[in-house]
Amino acid sequence: MAEKGPLKMSAKELISGLVSAKDVEVLIGRIAMEEEWEPLGPTPFPQISTLRSWDHLLLSRYKPFYAPFCDYCCLCTYGKCDLSKGRLGACGLDMKAQTARIVLIACCIGASTHLAHARHMVDHLIEKYGEDYPINLGQDIAIEMPHARLITGIKPKTLGDLAYLLNYCEKEVTQCLSAAHTGQEGNYIDFESKALHVSMIDHLAMEIADVAQIVTFNFPKGDPNAPLTWIGLGVLDLSKPVVLCIGHNVSAGVEVIDYLEKAGLGGPGETVEVAGLCCTAHDIVRYRDQAKIIGPISDQLRIIRSGAADVIMTDEQCIRTNVVYEAQRVKTPVVAVSDKASYGLPDVSELPVEKIVEMLVSGSTPGVFLPDLEKAGAVVAITAIRMAPLRQKFKIIPDPPQIQAQASGCTFCGTCRRNCPIDLPIDQAVFNAKKGDFELLSMLHDLCLGCARCEQVCPRKIPALSLIEAAFQHKIKTEKYRIRVGRGPILDTEIREVGSPIVLGEIPGVVAYVGCANFPNGAREVGIMAREFARRGYIVTLSGCSAMVASYVRNEEGKTIYEEFPGTFDRGGVVNVGSCVANAHITGAAIKIANIFAKRPLRANYEEIADYILNRVGAVGVAWGAYSQKAASIATGCNRLGIPVIVGPQGSKYRRMYLGRAEDKESFTVYDARTGERVWIGPAPEHLIIALETMEECMVWTAKLCIRPNDTTKGRMIKLTHYVDLYKRIYGKLPPDLHYFVRTEADIPITFKEEIMRYLKEVGWKPWEKPSIDPTLLKRLIRAQV
Ligand code: SF4
Ligand code: SF4
Ligand code: SF4
């Protein structure tokens, strides 16, 4: 395949002997080689400023709100510069621009992490299967990669095409990151525009990574009935050797399974348990559903310390950086396969398998760095088998009688609690344990972040985190829940079914729970919220650690949400798309609604599709937990596509939100595409990214942010019913901004009609003159001359 990039030439005037034309654009290269599957839209392979005008439109309504974490910039040696009280840095930067710059850097880190993952994955798969390996997601998915088609104008057909798209992504990430260098960009809105750009690229990179692994490893291809499997430490048969894969890139875990099968040792769980933690876990069960999901990132330290693993294989992302140290405490050898996370371990690429196994089993090294994935698969499988009998007695977590002894030195000095980032009463819990009462220790298990700061500062060297674990041990040993295997993309056939009710508002919304949920009660809260919205008839989608922890909350009959609700992308469905990179299928579904249902041109037509989604597709993302750089870019990528995002309390640490002002009528005034008139649509959606403190607030805002200007009266009535019901449940009264959303009496929920009518009268509400319009932010989409 040609490795040349598209060359775009423009000419104001072209005159030859045969033709005379104005404003000519000629495309040479990959785009020119593309079959004409749809006329090429206006923005193929957008560069850093191609969609800038769209960003500026969005940000003129959703103004960046900054709450800087620190008054100083220390990014270069002209500094540190005090940017407080309107001061400028030595380079001329002000505080707003500096905060936006930090957001851009975070988004670049997030996007480059998925991108590097995708690059590693695609290169590895091309080596294994060849660059002509076809991209085929089955007969129910004709739009195989909506992001690729929308952003670049390319319809990828082979792994080689994916590699080509990655070249483009890499160039864009580099361009965006370079804007953060000293003495480059200086305007906060333009920093934000670059953050939006690189985050759009992030969704393309995620799509590439997930589609590459789906087609080659034969993961479920959008199957709503993907099998149910198990999650939790209790799923492991500890009498068998246990391999624990940690990270996000499943290529290495696949090699372990392939080795076992080829060696006649059966599939996962037959002679060797193959388990995963974090997103690799999702993906090994997408490969073989007999593999096991142990849990999310927040359980990492506990699970390593449980000593269950006979060997740990790390790939990339979200791995505890002291994994080797922690694993050594329970004599678990580590095999690191990614050059992005090699932990100072010796590179053993040149050694034969037997020699490496010998090093690990003998303990002559706590681990090895082995980037040759095939070899790593063999080493890990054999090492697990050899280590298992040697490790039977290893158990760092003490049994209950030992807890009291270990806690006996506690003086109740409170140092641990003062250093706990979330102020857990760990001092009281340890002190109670000293007296034989383990109840509080056990209760802290669900709240604790597992950061071990309490242990590090304790003057009496009391292993508080291990004590929490010990108290909880009875539960963790039996802990197991049902979860549906990640199904991947949404089928085109499903989009045809739900496109209309979503756009008309009769399915009240699509709610996506994404990212990690590792803060106090985060796991429980994601489970509660997901069930609440599925019961209300929203479409609930989940990915990554959120998809895992949502299974921890059972209903009255003891069922998890995956047992209670179907896996279809439909009203009341609960859809686990898979690992973090599968997030691209959630935003991809919104793109497909605009294209398949509304027939909006898809090819290289980003602005129009995003405008459609913003105004018509009631989708909301919820990143309810710690907010990594990847979550920052995922959320910001949703925002460019017109999808609002709610982040939990930890999300505010990036110090930037995109907030609309409901009372600012002009900012919520749009064109009616039918007439060109300027029409106020109410604050829908009110914000693009907002940080909230409590689960209750989150549920109210989830319902509210699903409201769209295009809702029919029936759709608006349904959406307002949920918004009002949730608001009243929490605050005991009607929402004070209801008059912004009731356009005519027909919008008013029947159950609250009298009460709402009284309220509307009090605030002087009048029916809207133009309740129904064809809303757009883009002047060029106006069909009539004004
Ligand atoms: S980048 Fe600018 S504001 Fe930051 S330390 Fe350097 S000179 Fe100061
Ligand atoms: S720091 Fe140590 S001694 Fe002090 S209260 Fe905590 S566990 Fe007890
Ligand atoms: S390990 Fe848990 S209890 Fe200890 S400091 Fe961290 S969050 Fe607090």
Side-chain angles (χ1 to χ4, degrees):
M1 94 156 288
E3 271 299 308
K4 291 188 208 105
L7 177 62
K8 194 166 162 181
M9 300 197 316
S10 310
K12 275 275 149 220
E13 201 164 48
L14 181 71
I15 302 173
S16 78
L18 292 173
V19 288
S20 163
K22 288 200 169 167
D23 292 326
V24 183
E25 207 167 78
V26 182
L27 293 166
I28 301 169
R30 183 60 181 79
I31 279 281
M33 291 159 53
E34 185 78 357
E35 64 171 285
E36 198 62 7
W37 49 275
E38 188 177 299
L40 185 63
T43 54
F45 290 96
Q47 298 183 0
I48 198 165
S49 62
T50 309
L51 296 165
R52 179 173 178 254
S53 57
W54 170 248
D55 300 334
H56 280 240
L57 263 181
L58 278 181
L59 299 176
S60 65
R61 178 192 288 178
Y62 302 106
K63 299 199 166 33
F65 170 84
Y66 299 112
F69 200 58
C70 160
D71 288 340
Y72 291 89
C73 174
C74 311
L75 270 183
C76 86
T77 55
Y78 286 108
K80 59 183 181 184
C81 298
D82 181 357
L83 305 177
S84 65
K85 299 183 184 139
R87 294 185 186 100
L88 301 181
C91 62
L93 212 60
D94 65 13
M95 182 58 103
K96 264 185 169 178
Q98 167 62 9
T99 315
R101 180 187 187 203
I102 296 296
V103 173
L104 168 63
I105 292 170
C107 292
C108 284
I109 295 172
S112 63
T113 305
H114 287 138
L115 182 50
H117 172 180
R119 171 59 78 186
H120 181 273
M121 170 80 67
V122 169
D123 285 354
H124 171 67
L125 295 174
I126 286 180
E127 205 179 303
K128 213 168 159 166
Y129 299 99
E131 66 174 10
D132 294 328
Y133 194 92
I135 306 300
N136 180 357
L137 290 166
Q139 58 183 13
D140 289 327
I141 302 181
I143 300 179
E144 68 306 292
M145 296 182 65
H147 288 278
R149 291 185 180 204
L150 175 66
I151 296 168
T152 67
I154 297 275
K155 184 159 96 173
K157 296 190 189 63
T158 62
L159 284 180
D161 287 343
L162 301 189
Y164 179 81
L165 293 178
L166 288 173
N167 296 345
Y168 160 70
C169 296
E170 284 157 355
K171 178 178 146 251
E172 294 310 304
V173 172
T174 311
Q175 295 289 326
C176 289
L177 185 55
S178 74
H181 190 271
T182 303
Q184 294 259 48
E185 188 53 77
N187 175 272
Y188 74 100
I189 293 288
D190 276 322
F191 270 126
E192 294 291 353
S193 172
K194 291 166 180 65
L196 288 161
H197 184 68
V198 78
S199 303
M200 174 192 75
I201 297 294
D202 184 29
H203 284 252
L204 174 55
M206 288 190 288
E207 183 178 76
I208 293 170
D210 206 44
V211 168
Q213 60 181 358
I214 289 173
V215 295
T216 50
F217 295 148
N218 199 24
F219 288 177
K221 298 182 174 76
D223 180 5
N225 299 311
L228 287 169
T229 184
W230 292 99
I231 175 171
L233 198 57
V235 304
L236 292 177
D237 177 351
L238 293 174
S239 67
K240 293 176 181 155
V242 175
V243 171
L244 179 62
C245 308
I246 306 179
H248 280 66
N249 188 336
V250 78
S251 307
V254 162
E255 294 291 346
V256 176
I257 294 173
D258 285 354
Y259 176 84
L260 290 171
E261 290 176 350
K262 278 186 209 148
L265 295 164
E270 284 189 48
T271 51
V272 175
E273 292 277 26
V274 182
L277 219 152
C278 214
C279 280
T280 284
H282 273 299
D283 290 339
I284 54 169
V285 301
R286 289 166 91 187
Y287 188 56
R288 295 284 187 271
D289 62 6
Q290 305 92 331
K292 308 281 170 56
I293 302 176
I294 297 302
I297 178 176
S298 46
D299 286 347
Q300 195 166 156
L301 192 53
R302 296 186 191 108
I303 288 165
I304 296 170
R305 286 186 179 183
S306 78
D310 294 306
V311 61
I312 289 174
M313 180 160 69
T314 61
D315 52 81
E316 57 178 292
Q317 304 163 45
C318 303
I319 304 158
R320 267 196 79 91
T321 47
N322 66 344
V323 59
V324 177
Y325 168 77
E326 288 293 345
Q328 242 334 270
R329 296 178 70 189
V330 284
K331 296 285 180 264
T332 307
V334 173
V335 176
V337 302
S338 170
D339 48 13
K340 282 160 259 170
S342 41
Y343 309 115
L345 296 169
D347 185 340
V348 292
S349 306
E350 302 304 322
L351 298 179
V353 169
E354 305 71 38
K355 173 72 185 158
I356 303 169
V357 171
E358 202 48 53
M359 287 168 70
L360 293 168
V361 173
S362 68
S364 69
T365 173
V368 293
F369 169 51
L370 182 51
D372 175 336
L373 299 187
E374 201 171 330
K375 194 183 267 187
V379 165
V380 165
I382 300 169
T383 304
I385 293 166
R386 296 264 312 270
M387 284 301 289
L390 305 176
R391 293 188 65 266
Q392 283 299 335
K393 63 180 187 303
F394 273 104
K395 194 162 172 275
I396 191 173
I397 297 172
D399 57 25
Q402 291 175 301
I403 301 174
Q404 198 168 353
Q406 292 209 22
S408 64
C410 178
T411 57
F412 201 22
C413 68
T415 309
C416 49
R417 181 170 186 167
R418 282 193 296 279
N419 284 276
C420 174
I422 51 173
D423 193 32
L424 292 181
I426 181 65
D427 51 349
Q428 186 71 58
V430 176
F431 195 66
N432 290 359
K434 173 179 175 173
K435 296 183 281 181
D437 173 4
F438 310 130
E439 187 58 30
L440 186 55
L441 263 184
S442 157
M443 280 170 59
L444 292 187
H445 181 272
D446 282 349
L447 305 173
C448 170
L449 301 175
C451 68
R453 282 185 211 167
C454 49
E455 290 191 2
Q456 288 158 21
V457 297
C458 174
R460 307 301 302 266
K461 305 267 178 277
I462 292 171
L465 177 60
S466 294
L467 294 187
I468 291 175
E469 203 50 61
F472 193 67
Q473 211 177 87
H474 68 281
K475 184 174 171 201
I476 201 172
K477 274 192 164 170
T478 54
E479 191 177 60
K480 59 179 191 175
Y481 308 90
R482 283 300 227 181
I483 181 171
R484 196 174 296 284
V485 170
R487 56 167 277 183
I490 308 306
L491 304 176
D492 296 2
T493 41
E494 289 174 298
I495 297 289
R496 281 188 195 100
E497 290 293 314
V498 299
S500 166
I502 289 175
V503 169
L504 301 180
E506 289 156 16
I507 287 178
V510 181
V511 188
Y513 294 96
V514 303
C516 326
N518 54 340
F519 76 97
N521 267 329
R524 198 179 62 84
E525 291 181 351
V526 167
I528 292 171
M529 292 191 288
R531 173 166 282 118
E532 176 79 37
F533 281 91
R535 285 185 173 175
R536 287 175 178 272
Y538 289 70
I539 300 174
V540 173
T541 64
L542 305 105
S543 66
C545 290
S546 285
M548 295 186 195
V549 298
S551 69
Y552 292 178
V553 182
R554 300 181 198 273
N555 68 7
E556 311 74 20
E557 294 167 10
K559 290 182 175 169
T560 71
I561 54 167
Y562 299 104
E563 296 167 292
E564 185 178 346
F565 302 99
T568 39
F569 189 80
D570 200 351
R571 188 189 312 275
V574 170
V575 179
N576 172 16
V577 287
S579 52
C580 276
V581 287
N583 275 314
H585 305 310
I586 302 175
T587 39
I591 296 169
K592 285 195 196 186
I593 289 171
N595 176 241
I596 296 175
F597 163 69
K599 310 255 183 306
R600 296 295 179 110
L602 179 58
R603 191 175 179 200
N605 191 29
Y606 194 90
E607 278 184 334
E608 182 176 346
I609 295 286
D611 180 64
Y612 184 92
I613 294 170
L614 176 70
N615 284 304
R616 290 169 175 80
V617 180
V620 177
V622 180
W624 198 245
Y627 191 55
S628 71
Q629 296 95 342
K630 288 187 294 173
S633 59
I634 292 169
T636 308
C638 287
N639 293 160
R640 196 182 219 192
L641 202 53
I643 299 172
V645 174
I646 297 169
V647 298
Q650 313 259 350
S652 61
K653 290 181 189 162
Y654 280 119
R655 305 283 143 181
R656 184 271 264 134
M657 294 185 265
Y658 292 153
L659 302 181
R661 273 85 179 153
E663 66 288 355
D664 176 4
K665 283 202 158 191
E666 178 53 32
S667 67
F668 286 99
T669 298
V670 302
Y671 296 106
D672 184 340
R674 293 173 303 200
T675 62
E677 275 180 282
R678 298 279 290 163
V679 185
W680 180 65
I681 47 152
E686 186 169 338
H687 305 305
L688 264 193
I689 184 159
I690 179 172
L692 298 172
E693 288 292 324
T694 68
M695 171 181 76
E696 289 77 15
E697 277 181 288
C698 181
M699 288 200 278
V700 168
W701 274 93
T702 300
K704 183 157 98 162
L705 289 175
C706 285
I707 296 173
R708 291 293 177 280
N710 200 60
D711 300 334
T712 59
T713 49
K714 184 176 170 198
R716 182 62 61 93
M717 186 175 72
I718 292 169
K719 291 184 182 186
L720 286 179
T721 302
H722 296 295
Y723 174 43
V724 172
D725 184 51
L726 284 162
Y727 194 95
K728 283 188 68 152
R729 198 206 286 176
I730 294 163
Y731 301 104
K733 57 181 183 183
L734 289 177
D737 54 1
L738 206 44
H739 54 288
Y740 287 133
F741 301 108
V742 178
R743 298 163 302 183
T744 69
E745 268 193 49
D747 286 343
I748 299 174
I750 295 164
T751 21
F752 305 105
K753 185 132 190 176
E754 279 182 30
E755 197 182 353
I756 291 178
M757 284 305 290
R758 269 200 308 278
Y759 162 79
L760 291 176
K761 207 169 159 193
E762 277 169 31
V763 297
W765 171 86
K766 296 265 182 307
W768 294 14
E769 277 176 27
K770 292 191 186 304
S772 162
I773 65 159
D774 184 357
T776 178
L777 296 184
L778 300 170
K779 204 170 181 178
R780 69 180 167 82
L781 296 185
I782 298 168
R783 296 192 289 277
Q785 292 296 323
V786 195

